[in-house]
Amino acid sequence: MFSGLKDVTVGRLPGKVAGQQFLIQDCENCNIYIFDHSATVTIDDCTNCVVFLGPVKGSVFFRNCRDCKCALACQQFRVRDCRKLEVFLCCATQPIIESSTNIKFSCFQWYYPELAFQFKDAGLSIFNNTWSNIHDFTPVSGERNWSLLPEDAVVQDHIPLPTTEELKAVRVSTEASRSIVPVSRGQRQKSSDESCLVVLFAGDYTIANARKLIDEMVAKGFFLVQTKEVSMKAEDAQRVFHEKAPDFLPLLNKGPVIALEFNGDGAVEGCQLIVNETFRGTKV
């Protein structure tokens, strides 16, 4: 735990938390970096703090905090009795706020060498991220207690990189192109009426293929709206693939599929071209 700290930069290096619970409480003007995976994290009564949390297997719960900025990945995210938080989030389930005001969200965007393994250790998929699908338990008529940060928000302007010698040893990058979690637009306004759904079936290179496709599509000016890693049943295949479904049923038994939604004028044709060029000669 970190408790009762003021005006300091503190943290835990990779391997030092190793899946345990963590508690942060009564901290003020602190920069806190947990570069490891943990079981659950509770953050209570903190003011004007910067918090980075590596993947959390269960829940992250902020209570009675104000003026804090954080980047984190978790299974569940809850905020209660808080005001003025900025959250760069990767969350596998719908984020929940309660009795809170001025909570701003953006997509998690972070990289360091150990992070991909920590996601696996925490049982989280980098493709299951509902960061912008917020549920407010205590809505106020005519007001919104939460909003999305501008799409061009720069992570480092909100969450500075650590400055202590010990924590600088973790090789962090906040560039979108290097982020472990694909940076998606989520619930933001779509720029085009045209979207396409890409499904990648389970195999040895599924994650690498998905990343490659995202990089190529984004480079061509298309937008990644959302991603999902899910086990598809026969009825799901029927709904998505219609008359082609029988061809795909054997592939569904190999494991979960990765689904990607892209948006932009010409997205369907552009995606078909990229798939044909990039994956020609490989088994997709």
Side-chain angles (χ1 to χ4, degrees), residues 34 41 43 51-56 58-62 69-79 85-92 95 105-110 115 119 124 129 131 155 159 181:
I34 309 294
V41 178
I43 301 168
V51 180
F52 172 83
L53 302 176
V56 180
S59 64
V60 173
F61 200 179
F62 280 83
K69 299 175 180 183
C70 40
L72 60 110
C74 60
Q75 177 72 25
Q76 287 181 304
F77 179 80
R78 292 186 63 193
V79 170
L85 301 187
E86 294 176 357
V87 187
F88 289 83
L89 180 64
C90 176
C91 187
F105 292 91
S106 191
C107 185
F108 181 95
Q109 189 172 314
W110 207 266
L115 188 53
F119 264 88
L124 299 179
N129 185 9
W131 68 268
V155 180
I159 319 266
V181 173

Side-chain angles (χ1 to χ4, degrees), residues 9 31 33 35 110 160-164 167-168 170 172:
T9 294
N31 288 5
Y33 303 88
F35 290 124
W110 207 266
L161 298 186
T163 52
T164 64
L167 297 172
K168 278 202 293 196
V170 180
V172 173

